[in-house]
Amino acid sequence: MVRVANFLSGRKRKRSFRTWNSFFSLRSHQNNFRKQKRVISLNYFDLTFEGSFEQLMESNQSKPGLLCNPEVSQRTLYPYVTGTSVVALKYKDGILMAADMGGSYGSTLRYKSVERMKPVGKHSLLGASGEISDFQELLRYLDELILYDNMWDDGNSLGPKEVHNYLTRVMYNRRNKFDPLWNSLVLGGVKKGQKYLGMVSMIGVNFEDNHVATGFGNHLARPILRDEWHENLTFEEGVKLLEKCMRVLLYRDRSAVNKLQISKITEEGVTISQPYSLKTFWGFSAFENPTLGAEGSW
């Protein structure tokens, strides 16, 4: 027992000596660090810095982005190439939708052949205003959704209501990440004789109606639709009404171009027309001097 006790006490004393030795060694290293200017190499998010500790602190105070790189996470601060209004309505056999083909780079009408209406699955038609690249990203999401749905091979397919609900969740989710998809969407379709028409804003606000519009169409086309729309519209009457709305938007919206498409979706499927132009008349007296009588105008 004595030998065991001595053995244990010897190991304990030996271990204590090593512990104190390590402690004093650490203190000496700390003192040396305080006294000497050590060279520091920093590599953080592809940012490099070499210099003394004091230089690092001064640089960090003058440039807060050194230790927190703002380029790691980027957001869409402003849209680049955008499309303007989309107008859609229900008619007797299905849904009609109209949009022009302009793509504006800021205030410049840079592109004249941008298609902003696309079929989604078997029963839906999607139109978009806003950032064109975000619209293309949404189309990739929807392609994956339709492919996943088809893989089940169970005889069912997503209808317009399901696709619309999916879009509302995607837009609201991106809004909550403070990285929105910069679009206003119109989704229409027909499934099992039921017509469906709704829209989604860039922050996830959504609703259904008999006629919808995005952009300037909310202000200029919806009043016309409220006055002239009825549920028994024929195809020809619906096209004529949409052309009237698009003509007003062409007169009043600087981002609109006189090159448009009209699409329809029925139980038989989606049909998108070839691009065409509207007949216009610019001889109105109000167009000759539009600022006449306007106070504060140039």
Side-chain angles (χ1 to χ4, degrees):
M1 292 296 292
V2 174
R3 290 180 180 179
V4 173
N6 292 334
F7 176 73
L8 291 177
S9 62
R11 289 190 62 186
K12 186 174 182 181
R13 285 194 299 271
K14 191 174 183 180
R15 181 176 296 176
S16 300
F17 174 76
R18 288 180 179 177
T19 303
W20 282 106
N21 189 23
S22 300
F23 173 76
F24 286 119
S25 177
L26 177 62
R27 290 296 297 271
S28 65
H29 281 301
Q30 290 177 347
N31 293 331
N32 290 334
F33 179 78
R34 292 190 183 98
K35 293 178 181 178
Q36 299 177 1
K37 291 185 177 180
R38 302 173 62 91
V39 176
I40 299 173
S41 295
L42 178 65
N43 190 343
Y44 187 72
F45 290 126
D46 296 330
L47 290 175
T48 58
F49 176 83
E50 291 188 359
S52 66
F53 185 78
E54 290 81 2
Q55 292 173 347
L56 173 63
M57 291 297 101
E58 292 176 0
S59 176
N60 187 32
Q61 291 176 359
S62 61
K63 298 179 181 179
L66 181 62
L67 297 178
C68 183
N69 187 2
E71 295 180 359
V72 174
S73 181
Q74 296 183 348
R75 298 288 185 267
T76 302
L77 302 179
Y78 193 79
Y80 280 81
V81 180
T82 59
T84 184
S85 306
V86 178
V87 185
L89 55 83
K90 294 180 181 179
Y91 77 106
K92 185 172 62 174
D93 299 323
I95 305 295
L96 285 171
M97 190 180 299
D100 68 14
M101 303 187 70
S104 298
Y105 182 74
S107 59
T108 303
L109 289 174
R110 175 64 180 82
Y111 304 101
K112 305 294 178 63
S113 298
V114 180
E115 295 185 1
R116 297 188 287 121
M117 294 182 293
K118 297 290 184 180
V120 179
K122 299 178 181 179
H123 309 287
S124 303
L125 174 67
L126 178 65
S129 62
E131 173 62 49
I132 302 300
S133 62
D134 285 349
F135 177 48
Q136 294 170 343
E137 179 73 7
L138 275 169
L139 291 177
R140 284 192 284 269
Y141 291 169
L142 291 170
D143 286 342
E144 293 179 3
L145 178 71
I146 298 302
L147 177 62
Y148 180 76
D149 181 58
N150 291 337
M151 287 172 60
W152 287 95
D153 195 21
D154 56 358
N156 295 318
S157 57
L158 293 174
K161 185 175 180 63
E162 290 81 14
V163 176
H164 185 238
N165 288 336
Y166 171 78
L167 290 173
T168 62
R169 297 303 89 206
V170 169
M171 301 299 277
Y172 187 67
N173 174 263
R174 292 293 294 264
R175 175 261 188 193
N176 287 341
K177 292 180 179 179
F178 292 91
D179 187 18
L181 295 169
W182 214 287
N183 296 107
S184 292
L185 307 172
V186 174
L187 194 286
V190 182
K191 184 178 181 182
K192 297 181 180 179
Q194 298 294 320
K195 294 174 284 189
Y196 186 90
L197 182 61
M199 74 154 294
V200 192
S201 74
M202 65 178 288
I203 60 174
V205 176
N206 62 93
F207 61 89
E208 305 170 40
D209 207 340
N210 294 319
H211 46 78
V212 297
T214 65
F216 262 97
N218 264 325
H219 309 283
L220 303 178
R222 289 300 295 278
I224 299 173
L225 294 172
R226 291 189 187 103
D227 290 339
E228 302 186 21
W229 180 88
H230 57 88
E231 61 183 16
N232 293 321
L233 280 174
T234 63
F235 173 76
E236 292 77 14
E237 292 172 339
V239 169
K240 186 177 180 180
L241 181 55
L242 284 179
E243 287 182 345
K244 181 177 181 179
C245 294
M246 297 304 291
R247 187 176 291 108
V248 171
L249 289 170
L250 178 62
Y251 287 150
R252 297 297 182 182
D253 185 1
R254 69 167 187 179
S255 299
V257 297
N258 195 7
K259 185 179 181 182
L260 64 117
Q261 290 178 299
I262 291 183
S263 57
K264 72 171 182 177
I265 179 167
T266 62
E267 287 282 9
E268 286 72 30
V270 177
T271 303
I272 301 178
S273 73
Q274 293 296 317
Y276 69 98
S277 299
L278 298 173
K279 292 182 179 180
T280 58
F281 176 73
W282 297 93
F284 296 108
S285 59
F287 291 164
E288 294 176 1
N289 190 1
T291 61
L292 182 63
E295 296 182 3
S297 64
W298 288 19

